[in-house]
Amino acid sequence: MESSADKLRGLRITSLDEDDDETVVPHQALPGPAAAAADYEDDDEDEEEAEVTLGVLKKPKRPGLLLRHLFPSKAGGIPAWLDPVNVPSGKSSCCGFCGEPLQFLLQIYAPIVDNAAAFHRTMFVFMCSSMACLLRDQHEQWNHKHGNPCRSIKVFRCQLPRTNAFYSPEPPRHDGSDKPLCPGAPVCHWCGTWKGDKICSSCKKTRYCSEKHQALHWCTGHKNDCLQLISSSDASKSVLPAIGKVPASTSWPEFEIEIDFEDTFDSDSCDENNSKSLVMHRHGKPDAMMQSWMDHFEADADNKCWASFQERVSRAPNQVLRYCREPNAKPLWALSSGCPSNADIPSCSSCKGPLCYEFQIMPQLLYYLGVGNQPDSLDWATIAVYTCQGSCDQNVSYKEEFAWVQLYPTTTLMR
C-alpha cells in the first residue's frame, strides 16, 4: 500500500513555459447562481456533487490584457480595481497584526447573471507576506464571535450594475480600442495597489499609501528624483498621476487566471518527466519533524481526507483556484482537522445575512508566485473564501468577505 509520504511526494504541477496559441480570447467570467445555501457540514455520500470550475495560470500574451476595463481574473502584479475611485484605504488596507500594507494576491471576476446589481462582480484577495502573521490569523479566525478579529488575509467584493460611471454598457471588443470611461484614484507610487492619500512633503508630487512605502521609495531612488522635481522649471504644481509600473520587488509576478470545468482536465495528459513536485519544491527532503508527522499521518483521521484531496487535485495538478457557488458546494479540505462548522462561519459584515462558500485558493499558487521556503515564507494547505449569499448591494464599494485558512500540521509545529 502506498504510504502517505509517497503520496505527498507525488503531488505534481506542470510548467508554464510551453508555447501558447497567440489568439487572444476575452476574459471568461466564473459561473455562479444568484444564491447558494450555506451548508458546511458533512452530507450524505450519495448527494449529487456540484460542478467545480478550476483556475490555472498563464502568462499574459502582451501588456494591457489585464487592465480593469477588460474585467480580468488574475494573480500577482497590482489589482485591476473594479471601482477605481473608491478604493479601500486606512486600516482596511493593512495587516491587522503587523500593520503593514497588504500585498495583492489575486482577483476573480464572477458576475451573477440574475442579479442586476452584480452585472460586474469581482473578488479581490490580499495577504500579508509574513508567515508569522498568517499563523496568528489562523488562530484569530475562530474568534469572530467576539468582535471583528484581526486578519492578515482580507477579501473584498465589489460589484456594479451594467450602467455605471466607470465602464461602457457594451462588452469589451478586445481589439485595442477599449477604454474606461474615467480615470481612477491616484495610487501609491511604491506598491501601485492602495490609494495614495499621503503626498511627499518635499516635491508635493508623489503619493503613498503609508509612511513605510514613502520611506522605501525615498531610499530606493526618490531622494534624487524629488530634488529634480523640485528644481525642474516645467514641473507643475499638481501631483503625479497614478503610475502604471511599480518596483518589481514590491509585487508577486503577474499571471492571467484561465478557467475551465474540472471534468475537462485529464490527469493522464500531464508530462511527469517535465513536471515539478509541488510539495518537494516547497519543503525539500522530509526532515525529522516532517517524517514524524508523516508517520503519525498514516494512523490518524487526516489520512482519508488527504488521500481524497490528493486524488482530486491530481486531475489538474496545476490548479491554483477552485470555484463553485452552487447550493451544495463545499471546499476541498486537505485535512479533516481545522475545518469550520456552520457556526464558525460569520454573517455578512454588511447586511448580516448568511455567507456561502464560493472559492478556494490552492497551495500550488505559492510555486508560481516564486514564494521561497524560508522560515517566514508563506505556506498554506488551502484558503476557503465565503461571500454574502445574497451578494448584497450596500452603500460601500468594497465589502469585506470572510476567508478561512487551513495550514499543514508541520507549518504550525515547525514555527
Side-chain angles (χ1 to χ4, degrees), residues 106-246:
L106 60 78
Q107 66 185 75
I108 59 172
Y109 181 66
I112 299 179
V113 175
D114 54 359
N115 185 340
F119 183 86
H120 296 298
R121 181 175 176 271
T122 301
M123 267 71 64
F124 299 83
V125 183
F126 299 86
M127 291 191 73
C128 179
S129 58
S130 168
M131 187 62 201
C133 291
L134 186 60
L135 282 167
R136 295 176 66 184
D137 184 292
Q138 199 244 359
H139 292 288
E140 190 72 14
Q141 65 190 1
W142 298 90
N143 298 328
H144 67 86
K145 294 179 181 178
H146 307 292
N148 293 326
C150 294
R151 300 306 304 266
S152 73
I153 176 169
K154 295 184 181 181
V155 181
F156 297 98
R157 169 175 55 89
C158 181
Q159 59 192 45
L160 297 170
R162 181 167 188 167
T163 301
N164 59 80
F166 309 121
Y167 309 105
S168 168
E170 300 303 320
R173 292 182 290 273
H174 296 277
D175 58 2
S177 64
D178 299 306
K179 302 291 181 184
L181 298 182
C182 69
V187 295
C188 176
H189 276 74
W190 175 254
C191 68
T193 296
W194 303 107
K195 183 179 290 187
D197 50 11
K198 296 175 174 60
I199 302 175
C200 175
S201 60
S202 296
C203 69
K204 304 290 194 300
K205 297 189 179 298
T206 53
R207 288 181 173 267
Y208 303 101
C209 65
S210 63
E211 292 182 359
K212 178 178 181 179
H213 284 187
Q214 181 178 8
L216 288 171
H217 197 206
W218 180 266
C219 295
T220 56
H222 183 61
K223 181 178 181 179
N224 294 328
D225 295 340
C226 189
L227 295 174
Q228 293 177 8
L229 288 170
I230 294 173
S231 61
S232 175
S233 59
D234 59 347
S236 66
K237 294 183 179 180
S238 60
V239 297
L240 293 176
I243 55 175
K245 294 183 179 180
V246 297

Side-chain angles (χ1 to χ4, degrees), residues 10-81:
L11 184 57
R12 297 179 180 271
I13 59 178
T14 56
S15 173
L16 283 178
D17 295 331
E18 299 177 1
D19 292 333
D20 295 323
D21 186 357
E22 289 301 320
T23 303
V24 178
V25 297
H27 299 303
Q28 299 167 288
L30 287 161
D39 184 7
Y40 315 110
E41 306 289 353
D42 290 338
D43 297 320
D44 295 334
E45 292 185 359
D46 58 355
E47 180 183 343
E48 183 178 352
E49 191 173 3
E51 190 170 33
V52 176
T53 302
L54 302 184
V56 297
L57 300 185
K58 71 173 185 177
K59 297 174 183 176
K61 297 184 185 300
R62 63 174 181 265
L65 294 180
L66 301 179
L67 298 178
R68 60 181 174 88
H69 55 279
L70 300 178
F71 312 108
S73 293
K74 63 189 289 287
I78 58 178
W81 294 110

Side-chain angles (χ1 to χ4, degrees), residues 73-99:
S73 293
K74 63 189 289 287
I78 58 178
W81 294 110
L82 184 61
D83 178 342
V85 174
N86 303 295
V87 176
S89 61
K91 291 184 178 180
S92 295
S93 64
C94 296
C95 174
F97 301 104
C98 68

